[in-house]
Amino acid sequence: MDLDVSPSSVINHELLTQILSTLKLIQSDYRQLSNAVERIEGRVNVLAGVKQLHDAAGDRQQSAPRIPALGSPAQEEGRSSPKASITSHPPGPAPIGKTVTIGRSSAPTVSSRIILTTYPGQSGIDPLVIHWGHLDPMQRGPVVVSRSQSTIRRRNAIGAHGGSYSIYHALAVANKNLDVEHKPDFTNTNPAVTLGPFPQWTDAKKIVSMDPLGHLAPWLFTKLIDEENVHIRPTIAITKAHMKLPEIEQSVQNGRLQVDGKICLNRTGELAVTKFAVEPVWYLPGVAERFGIDEGILRRSLFENTGGSFPELITRGDIKLFLPPIGGLTVYCFGDPAKMSDSNVRLALRVHDECNGSDVFGSDICTCRPYLIFGVEEAVKEAQQGGSGVVIYFRKEGRALGEVTKYLASVEQTVSHAQLNRAAIGIIILPLGASEYFKRTENIAGVKDMRFQALMPDILHWLGITKIDRMLSMSNMKHDAIVEQGIPIHERVPIPDELIPEDSRVEIDAKIHAGYFTTGKVMNLIELSEVQGRAWDDVDVS
């Protein structure tokens, strides 16, 4: 085959090469421009969010009670004192060690001694006052929990940022991988979308387990950060992402889910999603009220049952905020996030509690991953039809009892099955099945479930959700908690039978018998006792 080396051919090749090179430059410039636009959009979102908060406060200021400015004498006189049920202590040094005294204008004083706790009115203690639920963010105040030298005297919260990951933060400081005085740089970390403000944000009874201003904190309180060097961090982050799940790709291939190019992007089932990560911030009076207990009893239990880790729960009755060392939650929103709060469009919701074994590794002993995938698929369909689809993922492994307890209950079940199958020794051991599902857990942990869904609806209030058209959950506890918070649920959708793994019938039938919603049959105790899972024989590699 002869090559064409004519002048016209050479010119065409050079021209194509130049065109290709130009296209690559345009592509590179487009990426840079897109990144710049995203950064600008992020900044605009922050400015819009801050402005909307101030506007909302201004519009309602006439009807709002006047509250003295931060640090005013009237405010100092009005500071709340600890409840009688909370142990108090006179101002002064901690029982062991020497308290660091930090003056308002003096440089931080460093001490090698350990501060075990602090007390109201103690020298050097000047917490920023919080008016939880106030409509003006400046009067509401920031959540301040950092123990940096410039901030420790202004702390108005107990605990630490990061939830359960705060322990790794401490470890990083201890092994000198992290400077204890490190100050975060939040450049280009602005929320990816503008959300709210909603009336629920300023209702001290509706949101008690998260900070409604947590996504805007560093930008709302820049004056405090810049002028007083107070460390203020966000407790909520908002971003956009793509999601790929093999089951969703299969749904596309089977025709159950359609590619629309906006939410379901292609034939591989790639999904566009907006994600909200939320760390817990507890307003202790509100949490106590939500559970119907005294705040002092709550504080004492939190102190004693965490090994005395947070003595200020007892000594600082004036501090009403607590950042507990527990997992947070993540919201996955499909479609336009603004539609979540639009009562004129339909909303499909799945509230899901973590199950690492099933959600991540595909264990078929429960229905967790199948129900999660079903929730994602139905949420996407709702968004494609012009509504909103939301999946909220809580870190509450093993019904908040933890994976060890969950596995111990599983061991008890499977060992009994194995013993039954080896009954040739002449001893017949009846297997534990669905009828004993919750009893096994209670025998080990003392309680069947510690998720306590009373705080769960807070995130719905924060998102501006006022009604749920399709609740993709069978849980009676979740349903009741949401409805009790004034959010109606129009339809409850159980997991389809064809998605239930055979070995998970023990779990799902036990839950239905215990009160979970179903459109099918509720077994009696005799029928329930006949539902058995598999033994260990098929995984015995010894």
Side-chain angles (χ1 to χ4, degrees), residues 100-132:
V100 176
T101 300
I102 304 172
R104 181 178 289 276
S105 59
S106 62
T109 303
V110 179
S111 172
S112 62
R113 302 209 179 171
I114 298 173
I115 305 170
L116 291 184
T117 193
T118 59
Y119 302 93
Q122 187 174 344
S123 175
I125 300 300
D126 184 23
L128 291 167
V129 177
I130 281 280
H131 296 287
W132 194 259

PDB file of all heavy atoms in Angstrom, residues 100-132:
ATOM      1  N   VAL A 100      -5.135  27.148  83.625  1.00  0.00           N
ATOM      2  CA  VAL A 100      -4.477  28.205  82.871  1.00  0.00           C
ATOM      3  C   VAL A 100      -5.362  29.448  82.912  1.00  0.00           C
ATOM      4  O   VAL A 100      -6.542  29.383  82.609  1.00  0.00           O
ATOM      5  CB  VAL A 100      -4.264  27.767  81.406  1.00  0.00           C
ATOM      6  CG1 VAL A 100      -3.665  28.910  80.598  1.00  0.00           C
ATOM      7  CG2 VAL A 100      -3.331  26.577  81.356  1.00  0.00           C
ATOM      8  N   THR A 101      -4.805  30.586  83.312  1.00  0.00           N
ATOM      9  CA  THR A 101      -5.545  31.836  83.321  1.00  0.00           C
ATOM     10  C   THR A 101      -5.179  32.627  82.082  1.00  0.00           C
ATOM     11  O   THR A 101      -4.008  32.907  81.838  1.00  0.00           O
ATOM     12  CB  THR A 101      -5.210  32.649  84.590  1.00  0.00           C
ATOM     13  OG1 THR A 101      -5.560  31.892  85.734  1.00  0.00           O
ATOM     14  CG2 THR A 101      -5.981  33.970  84.584  1.00  0.00           C
ATOM     15  N   ILE A 102      -6.213  33.000  81.314  1.00  0.00           N
ATOM     16  CA  ILE A 102      -5.981  33.719  80.068  1.00  0.00           C
ATOM     17  C   ILE A 102      -6.775  35.012  80.117  1.00  0.00           C
ATOM     18  O   ILE A 102      -8.001  34.999  80.189  1.00  0.00           O
ATOM     19  CB  ILE A 102      -6.431  32.883  78.859  1.00  0.00           C
ATOM     20  CG1 ILE A 102      -5.719  31.532  78.878  1.00  0.00           C
ATOM     21  CG2 ILE A 102      -6.138  33.605  77.548  1.00  0.00           C
ATOM     22  CD1 ILE A 102      -6.236  30.582  77.837  1.00  0.00           C
ATOM     23  N   GLY A 103      -6.114  36.129  80.104  1.00  0.00           N
ATOM     24  CA  GLY A 103      -6.791  37.416  80.135  1.00  0.00           C
ATOM     25  C   GLY A 103      -7.358  37.764  78.768  1.00  0.00           C
ATOM     26  O   GLY A 103      -6.945  37.205  77.762  1.00  0.00           O
ATOM     27  N   ARG A 104      -8.265  38.742  78.743  1.00  0.00           N
ATOM     28  CA  ARG A 104      -8.921  39.099  77.487  1.00  0.00           C
ATOM     29  C   ARG A 104      -7.930  39.643  76.473  1.00  0.00           C
ATOM     30  O   ARG A 104      -8.031  39.389  75.289  1.00  0.00           O
ATOM     31  CB  ARG A 104     -10.013  40.123  77.754  1.00  0.00           C
ATOM     32  CG  ARG A 104     -10.766  40.547  76.505  1.00  0.00           C
ATOM     33  CD  ARG A 104     -11.871  41.518  76.840  1.00  0.00           C
ATOM     34  NE  ARG A 104     -12.955  40.857  77.540  1.00  0.00           N
ATOM     35  CZ  ARG A 104     -13.932  40.193  76.931  1.00  0.00           C
ATOM     36  NH1 ARG A 104     -13.941  40.085  75.624  1.00  0.00           N
ATOM     37  NH2 ARG A 104     -14.896  39.626  77.632  1.00  0.00           N
ATOM     38  N   SER A 105      -6.965  40.447  76.928  1.00  0.00           N
ATOM     39  CA  SER A 105      -6.045  41.069  75.981  1.00  0.00           C
ATOM     40  C   SER A 105      -4.617  40.558  76.119  1.00  0.00           C
ATOM     41  O   SER A 105      -3.756  40.948  75.360  1.00  0.00           O
ATOM     42  CB  SER A 105      -6.060  42.595  76.168  1.00  0.00           C
ATOM     43  OG  SER A 105      -5.684  42.921  77.499  1.00  0.00           O
ATOM     44  N   SER A 106      -4.372  39.714  77.106  1.00  0.00           N
ATOM     45  CA  SER A 106      -3.010  39.231  77.308  1.00  0.00           C
ATOM     46  C   SER A 106      -2.734  38.034  76.428  1.00  0.00           C
ATOM     47  O   SER A 106      -3.633  37.386  75.925  1.00  0.00           O
ATOM     48  CB  SER A 106      -2.814  38.840  78.779  1.00  0.00           C
ATOM     49  OG  SER A 106      -3.703  37.788  79.117  1.00  0.00           O
ATOM     50  N   ALA A 107      -1.451  37.718  76.252  1.00  0.00           N
ATOM     51  CA  ALA A 107      -1.061  36.563  75.442  1.00  0.00           C
ATOM     52  C   ALA A 107      -1.391  35.287  76.194  1.00  0.00           C
ATOM     53  O   ALA A 107      -1.408  35.266  77.427  1.00  0.00           O
ATOM     54  CB  ALA A 107       0.431  36.637  75.144  1.00  0.00           C
ATOM     55  N   PRO A 108      -1.657  34.212  75.480  1.00  0.00           N
ATOM     56  CA  PRO A 108      -1.983  32.942  76.127  1.00  0.00           C
ATOM     57  C   PRO A 108      -0.866  32.479  77.049  1.00  0.00           C
ATOM     58  O   PRO A 108       0.319  32.625  76.734  1.00  0.00           O
ATOM     59  CB  PRO A 108      -2.167  31.983  74.956  1.00  0.00           C
ATOM     60  CG  PRO A 108      -2.468  32.862  73.791  1.00  0.00           C
ATOM     61  CD  PRO A 108      -1.717  34.116  74.029  1.00  0.00           C
ATOM     62  N   THR A 109      -1.245  31.941  78.181  1.00  0.00           N
ATOM     63  CA  THR A 109      -0.280  31.412  79.128  1.00  0.00           C
ATOM     64  C   THR A 109      -0.215  29.904  78.977  1.00  0.00           C
ATOM     65  O   THR A 109      -1.235  29.237  78.982  1.00  0.00           O
ATOM     66  CB  THR A 109      -0.706  31.765  80.572  1.00  0.00           C
ATOM     67  OG1 THR A 109      -0.833  33.176  80.666  1.00  0.00           O
ATOM     68  CG2 THR A 109       0.313  31.265  81.570  1.00  0.00           C
ATOM     69  N   VAL A 110       0.974  29.370  78.860  1.00  0.00           N
ATOM     70  CA  VAL A 110       1.137  27.943  78.667  1.00  0.00           C
ATOM     71  C   VAL A 110       1.461  27.291  79.999  1.00  0.00           C
ATOM     72  O   VAL A 110       2.287  27.784  80.766  1.00  0.00           O
ATOM     73  CB  VAL A 110       2.259  27.664  77.649  1.00  0.00           C
ATOM     74  CG1 VAL A 110       2.434  26.176  77.471  1.00  0.00           C
ATOM     75  CG2 VAL A 110       1.948  28.330  76.315  1.00  0.00           C
ATOM     76  N   SER A 111       0.827  26.179  80.280  1.00  0.00           N
ATOM     77  CA  SER A 111       1.081  25.445  81.518  1.00  0.00           C
ATOM     78  C   SER A 111       1.277  23.977  81.198  1.00  0.00           C
ATOM     79  O   SER A 111       0.634  23.436  80.312  1.00  0.00           O
ATOM     80  CB  SER A 111      -0.096  25.609  82.484  1.00  0.00           C
ATOM     81  OG  SER A 111       0.055  24.755  83.595  1.00  0.00           O
ATOM     82  N   SER A 112       2.171  23.330  81.931  1.00  0.00           N
ATOM     83  CA  SER A 112       2.398  21.901  81.730  1.00  0.00           C
ATOM     84  C   SER A 112       1.420  21.078  82.541  1.00  0.00           C
ATOM     85  O   SER A 112       1.394  19.863  82.431  1.00  0.00           O
ATOM     86  CB  SER A 112       3.836  21.544  82.115  1.00  0.00           C
ATOM     87  OG  SER A 112       4.051  21.825  83.487  1.00  0.00           O
ATOM     88  N   ARG A 113       0.636  21.731  83.372  1.00  0.00           N
ATOM     89  CA  ARG A 113      -0.307  21.002  84.203  1.00  0.00           C
ATOM     90  C   ARG A 113      -1.582  20.705  83.444  1.00  0.00           C
ATOM     91  O   ARG A 113      -1.961  21.414  82.520  1.00  0.00           O
ATOM     92  CB  ARG A 113      -0.609  21.814  85.465  1.00  0.00           C
ATOM     93  CG  ARG A 113       0.650  22.119  86.263  1.00  0.00           C
ATOM     94  CD  ARG A 113       0.360  22.254  87.717  1.00  0.00           C
ATOM     95  NE  ARG A 113       1.581  22.521  88.471  1.00  0.00           N
ATOM     96  CZ  ARG A 113       1.567  22.846  89.745  1.00  0.00           C
ATOM     97  NH1 ARG A 113       0.410  22.963  90.385  1.00  0.00           N
ATOM     98  NH2 ARG A 113       2.703  23.058  90.384  1.00  0.00           N
ATOM     99  N   ILE A 114      -2.269  19.659  83.879  1.00  0.00           N
ATOM    100  CA  ILE A 114      -3.481  19.202  83.195  1.00  0.00           C
ATOM    101  C   ILE A 114      -4.696  19.886  83.796  1.00  0.00           C
ATOM    102  O   ILE A 114      -4.882  19.915  85.012  1.00  0.00           O
ATOM    103  CB  ILE A 114      -3.623  17.672  83.317  1.00  0.00           C
ATOM    104  CG1 ILE A 114      -2.445  16.987  82.634  1.00  0.00           C
ATOM    105  CG2 ILE A 114      -4.939  17.213  82.716  1.00  0.00           C
ATOM    106  CD1 ILE A 114      -2.412  15.485  82.853  1.00  0.00           C
ATOM    107  N   ILE A 115      -5.536  20.428  82.918  1.00  0.00           N
ATOM    108  CA  ILE A 115      -6.798  21.026  83.352  1.00  0.00           C
ATOM    109  C   ILE A 115      -7.866  19.943  83.266  1.00  0.00           C
ATOM    110  O   ILE A 115      -8.232  19.516  82.178  1.00  0.00           O
ATOM    111  CB  ILE A 115      -7.175  22.209  82.457  1.00  0.00           C
ATOM    112  CG1 ILE A 115      -6.046  23.230  82.408  1.00  0.00           C
ATOM    113  CG2 ILE A 115      -8.463  22.854  82.946  1.00  0.00           C
ATOM    114  CD1 ILE A 115      -6.242  24.303  81.365  1.00  0.00           C
ATOM    115  N   LEU A 116      -8.348  19.516  84.412  1.00  0.00           N
ATOM    116  CA  LEU A 116      -9.342  18.449  84.415  1.00  0.00           C
ATOM    117  C   LEU A 116     -10.733  18.967  84.101  1.00  0.00           C
ATOM    118  O   LEU A 116     -11.530  18.286  83.461  1.00  0.00           O
ATOM    119  CB  LEU A 116      -9.353  17.731  85.764  1.00  0.00           C
ATOM    120  CG  LEU A 116      -8.114  16.888  86.088  1.00  0.00           C
ATOM    121  CD1 LEU A 116      -8.319  16.158  87.397  1.00  0.00           C
ATOM    122  CD2 LEU A 116      -7.819  15.903  84.976  1.00  0.00           C
ATOM    123  N   THR A 117     -11.034  20.173  84.533  1.00  0.00           N
ATOM    124  CA  THR A 117     -12.346  20.742  84.244  1.00  0.00           C
ATOM    125  C   THR A 117     -12.314  22.231  84.499  1.00  0.00           C
ATOM    126  O   THR A 117     -11.305  22.783  84.952  1.00  0.00           O
ATOM    127  CB  THR A 117     -13.446  20.071  85.093  1.00  0.00           C
ATOM    128  OG1 THR A 117     -14.728  20.414  84.581  1.00  0.00           O
ATOM    129  CG2 THR A 117     -13.342  20.465  86.558  1.00  0.00           C
ATOM    130  N   THR A 118     -13.405  22.909  84.183  1.00  0.00           N
ATOM    131  CA  THR A 118     -13.556  24.334  84.455  1.00  0.00           C
ATOM    132  C   THR A 118     -14.896  24.560  85.129  1.00  0.00           C
ATOM    133  O   THR A 118     -15.723  23.648  85.230  1.00  0.00           O
ATOM    134  CB  THR A 118     -13.494  25.148  83.142  1.00  0.00           C
ATOM    135  OG1 THR A 118     -14.536  24.696  82.264  1.00  0.00           O
ATOM    136  CG2 THR A 118     -12.149  24.981  82.455  1.00  0.00           C
ATOM    137  N   TYR A 119     -15.094  25.813  85.597  1.00  0.00           N
ATOM    138  CA  TYR A 119     -16.312  26.138  86.338  1.00  0.00           C
ATOM    139  C   TYR A 119     -16.854  27.488  85.880  1.00  0.00           C
ATOM    140  O   TYR A 119     -16.089  28.345  85.417  1.00  0.00           O
ATOM    141  CB  TYR A 119     -16.027  26.184  87.848  1.00  0.00           C
ATOM    142  CG  TYR A 119     -15.482  24.889  88.379  1.00  0.00           C
ATOM    143  CD1 TYR A 119     -14.102  24.685  88.458  1.00  0.00           C
ATOM    144  CD2 TYR A 119     -16.339  23.854  88.764  1.00  0.00           C
ATOM    145  CE1 TYR A 119     -13.594  23.490  88.925  1.00  0.00           C
ATOM    146  CE2 TYR A 119     -15.836  22.656  89.228  1.00  0.00           C
ATOM    147  CZ  TYR A 119     -14.464  22.471  89.307  1.00  0.00           C
ATOM    148  OH  TYR A 119     -13.962  21.286  89.749  1.00  0.00           O
ATOM    149  N   PRO A 120     -18.154  27.707  86.014  1.00  0.00           N
ATOM    150  CA  PRO A 120     -18.729  29.005  85.648  1.00  0.00           C
ATOM    151  C   PRO A 120     -18.110  30.120  86.494  1.00  0.00           C
ATOM    152  O   PRO A 120     -17.911  29.966  87.695  1.00  0.00           O
ATOM    153  CB  PRO A 120     -20.222  28.843  85.961  1.00  0.00           C
ATOM    154  CG  PRO A 120     -20.462  27.371  86.009  1.00  0.00           C
ATOM    155  CD  PRO A 120     -19.184  26.759  86.485  1.00  0.00           C
ATOM    156  N   GLY A 121     -17.792  31.234  85.863  1.00  0.00           N
ATOM    157  CA  GLY A 121     -17.253  32.370  86.599  1.00  0.00           C
ATOM    158  C   GLY A 121     -15.788  32.257  86.945  1.00  0.00           C
ATOM    159  O   GLY A 121     -15.224  33.166  87.559  1.00  0.00           O
ATOM    160  N   GLN A 122     -15.159  31.174  86.564  1.00  0.00           N
ATOM    161  CA  GLN A 122     -13.737  30.973  86.859  1.00  0.00           C
ATOM    162  C   GLN A 122     -12.897  32.028  86.139  1.00  0.00           C
ATOM    163  O   GLN A 122     -13.229  32.474  85.041  1.00  0.00           O
ATOM    164  CB  GLN A 122     -13.316  29.575  86.403  1.00  0.00           C
ATOM    165  CG  GLN A 122     -11.914  29.173  86.789  1.00  0.00           C
ATOM    166  CD  GLN A 122     -11.657  27.722  86.422  1.00  0.00           C
ATOM    167  OE1 GLN A 122     -12.595  26.980  86.166  1.00  0.00           O
ATOM    168  NE2 GLN A 122     -10.399  27.328  86.402  1.00  0.00           N
ATOM    169  N   SER A 123     -11.813  32.446  86.765  1.00  0.00           N
ATOM    170  CA  SER A 123     -10.933  33.444  86.170  1.00  0.00           C
ATOM    171  C   SER A 123     -10.465  32.998  84.792  1.00  0.00           C
ATOM    172  O   SER A 123      -9.998  31.870  84.620  1.00  0.00           O
ATOM    173  CB  SER A 123      -9.719  33.670  87.079  1.00  0.00           C
ATOM    174  OG  SER A 123      -8.794  34.547  86.475  1.00  0.00           O
ATOM    175  N   GLY A 124     -10.604  33.882  83.804  1.00  0.00           N
ATOM    176  CA  GLY A 124     -10.168  33.561  82.449  1.00  0.00           C
ATOM    177  C   GLY A 124     -11.218  32.874  81.605  1.00  0.00           C
ATOM    178  O   GLY A 124     -11.009  32.667  80.415  1.00  0.00           O
ATOM    179  N   ILE A 125     -12.346  32.502  82.184  1.00  0.00           N
ATOM    180  CA  ILE A 125     -13.412  31.829  81.436  1.00  0.00           C
ATOM    181  C   ILE A 125     -14.423  32.868  80.971  1.00  0.00           C
ATOM    182  O   ILE A 125     -15.037  33.564  81.773  1.00  0.00           O
ATOM    183  CB  ILE A 125     -14.104  30.752  82.304  1.00  0.00           C
ATOM    184  CG1 ILE A 125     -13.097  29.696  82.740  1.00  0.00           C
ATOM    185  CG2 ILE A 125     -15.260  30.125  81.549  1.00  0.00           C
ATOM    186  CD1 ILE A 125     -12.434  28.965  81.606  1.00  0.00           C
ATOM    187  N   ASP A 126     -14.592  32.991  79.665  1.00  0.00           N
ATOM    188  CA  ASP A 126     -15.491  33.999  79.095  1.00  0.00           C
ATOM    189  C   ASP A 126     -16.187  33.418  77.862  1.00  0.00           C
ATOM    190  O   ASP A 126     -15.936  33.823  76.735  1.00  0.00           O
ATOM    191  CB  ASP A 126     -14.674  35.244  78.713  1.00  0.00           C
ATOM    192  CG  ASP A 126     -15.553  36.374  78.205  1.00  0.00           C
ATOM    193  OD1 ASP A 126     -16.755  36.374  78.540  1.00  0.00           O
ATOM    194  OD2 ASP A 126     -15.041  37.239  77.466  1.00  0.00           O
ATOM    195  N   PRO A 127     -17.083  32.450  78.058  1.00  0.00           N
ATOM    196  CA  PRO A 127     -17.690  31.760  76.904  1.00  0.00           C
ATOM    197  C   PRO A 127     -18.574  32.676  76.072  1.00  0.00           C
ATOM    198  O   PRO A 127     -19.260  33.557  76.614  1.00  0.00           O
ATOM    199  CB  PRO A 127     -18.510  30.648  77.560  1.00  0.00           C
ATOM    200  CG  PRO A 127     -18.821  31.162  78.935  1.00  0.00           C
ATOM    201  CD  PRO A 127     -17.625  31.969  79.339  1.00  0.00           C
ATOM    202  N   LEU A 128     -18.554  32.477  74.764  1.00  0.00           N
ATOM    203  CA  LEU A 128     -19.487  33.178  73.891  1.00  0.00           C
ATOM    204  C   LEU A 128     -20.893  32.667  74.181  1.00  0.00           C
ATOM    205  O   LEU A 128     -21.123  31.453  74.227  1.00  0.00           O
ATOM    206  CB  LEU A 128     -19.127  32.927  72.427  1.00  0.00           C
ATOM    207  CG  LEU A 128     -17.827  33.584  71.947  1.00  0.00           C
ATOM    208  CD1 LEU A 128     -17.421  33.021  70.597  1.00  0.00           C
ATOM    209  CD2 LEU A 128     -18.001  35.089  71.862  1.00  0.00           C
ATOM    210  N   VAL A 129     -21.818  33.573  74.376  1.00  0.00           N
ATOM    211  CA  VAL A 129     -23.172  33.190  74.771  1.00  0.00           C
ATOM    212  C   VAL A 129     -23.940  32.669  73.556  1.00  0.00           C
ATOM    213  O   VAL A 129     -23.844  33.211  72.458  1.00  0.00           O
ATOM    214  CB  VAL A 129     -23.909  34.382  75.397  1.00  0.00           C
ATOM    215  CG1 VAL A 129     -25.351  34.000  75.751  1.00  0.00           C
ATOM    216  CG2 VAL A 129     -23.169  34.854  76.637  1.00  0.00           C
ATOM    217  N   ILE A 130     -24.663  31.587  73.771  1.00  0.00           N
ATOM    218  CA  ILE A 130     -25.505  30.979  72.734  1.00  0.00           C
ATOM    219  C   ILE A 130     -26.976  31.184  73.093  1.00  0.00           C
ATOM    220  O   ILE A 130     -27.389  30.921  74.224  1.00  0.00           O
ATOM    221  CB  ILE A 130     -25.215  29.466  72.626  1.00  0.00           C
ATOM    222  CG1 ILE A 130     -23.941  29.214  71.839  1.00  0.00           C
ATOM    223  CG2 ILE A 130     -26.372  28.733  71.980  1.00  0.00           C
ATOM    224  CD1 ILE A 130     -24.104  29.291  70.335  1.00  0.00           C
ATOM    225  N   HIS A 131     -27.727  31.693  72.130  1.00  0.00           N
ATOM    226  CA  HIS A 131     -29.191  31.761  72.270  1.00  0.00           C
ATOM    227  C   HIS A 131     -29.769  30.830  71.202  1.00  0.00           C
ATOM    228  O   HIS A 131     -30.107  31.260  70.100  1.00  0.00           O
ATOM    229  CB  HIS A 131     -29.695  33.192  72.090  1.00  0.00           C
ATOM    230  CG  HIS A 131     -29.213  34.143  73.141  1.00  0.00           C
ATOM    231  ND1 HIS A 131     -29.693  34.131  74.436  1.00  0.00           N
ATOM    232  CD2 HIS A 131     -28.279  35.124  73.098  1.00  0.00           C
ATOM    233  CE1 HIS A 131     -29.093  35.067  75.141  1.00  0.00           C
ATOM    234  NE2 HIS A 131     -28.226  35.683  74.351  1.00  0.00           N
ATOM    235  N   TRP A 132     -29.840  29.577  71.537  1.00  0.00           N
ATOM    236  CA  TRP A 132     -30.242  28.544  70.578  1.00  0.00           C
ATOM    237  C   TRP A 132     -31.628  28.845  70.016  1.00  0.00           C
ATOM    238  O   TRP A 132     -32.576  29.090  70.757  1.00  0.00           O
ATOM    239  CB  TRP A 132     -30.245  27.183  71.262  1.00  0.00           C
ATOM    240  CG  TRP A 132     -30.312  26.025  70.312  1.00  0.00           C
ATOM    241  CD1 TRP A 132     -31.400  25.278  69.994  1.00  0.00           C
ATOM    242  CD2 TRP A 132     -29.219  25.495  69.554  1.00  0.00           C
ATOM    243  NE1 TRP A 132     -31.058  24.307  69.094  1.00  0.00           N
ATOM    244  CE2 TRP A 132     -29.719  24.411  68.800  1.00  0.00           C
ATOM    245  CE3 TRP A 132     -27.870  25.821  69.437  1.00  0.00           C
ATOM    246  CZ2 TRP A 132     -28.924  23.656  67.945  1.00  0.00           C
ATOM    247  CZ3 TRP A 132     -27.065  25.066  68.594  1.00  0.00           C
ATOM    248  CH2 TRP A 132     -27.597  23.993  67.860  1.00  0.00           C
TER     249      TRP A 132
END
